[in-house]
Amino acid sequence: MIKKVLKSIKRSWKKLVIVFIRESRETKRMLEVYMFQRNNKELMQFANRQLVDIFKILFLFPITLLPGSVIIVTLLEIIAKAFGATIFPKKTKF
């Protein structure tokens, strides 16, 4: 039983590290595009999507600290889906 829990925790930790590394790379790439490659429309779209993802993360972080945050985030996501959007960052591979 304990081995399963530890294995699950280890797997979740690895996923979190992978997501963190991916987001940091995308953010670094976004900054490079904004600083040096503003002429390329495709790269600017990527950079703008990444900036929106950063704002989403900054919006969600303080909410997760509140009591009942799971319910609040769930309700916000349901409302966002009704408008055809999401409050969570999108996976972007570039």
Side-chain angles (χ1 to χ4, degrees), residues 26-92:
E26 290 176 356
T27 302
K28 181 180 176 187
R29 181 70 179 129
M30 176 197 72
L31 291 173
E32 290 172 358
V33 169
Y34 281 143
M35 293 174 81
F36 305 114
Q37 300 173 339
R38 285 179 261 166
N39 298 343
N40 190 330
K41 290 188 184 258
E42 184 180 319
L43 290 176
M44 282 301 290
Q45 287 177 345
F46 161 77
N48 290 338
R49 282 192 309 267
Q50 181 62 22
L51 185 62
V52 169
D53 283 352
I54 290 171
F55 285 138
K56 286 179 179 181
I57 291 169
L58 291 174
F59 168 74
L60 281 175
F61 180 70
I63 292 174
T64 60
L65 300 176
L66 296 172
S69 62
V70 173
I71 296 169
I72 295 169
V73 170
T74 303
L75 290 174
L76 288 173
E77 180 63 14
I78 290 170
I79 293 168
K81 290 273 186 199
F83 289 100
T86 182
I87 62 170
F88 298 110
K90 296 179 182 175
K91 267 190 175 178
T92 306

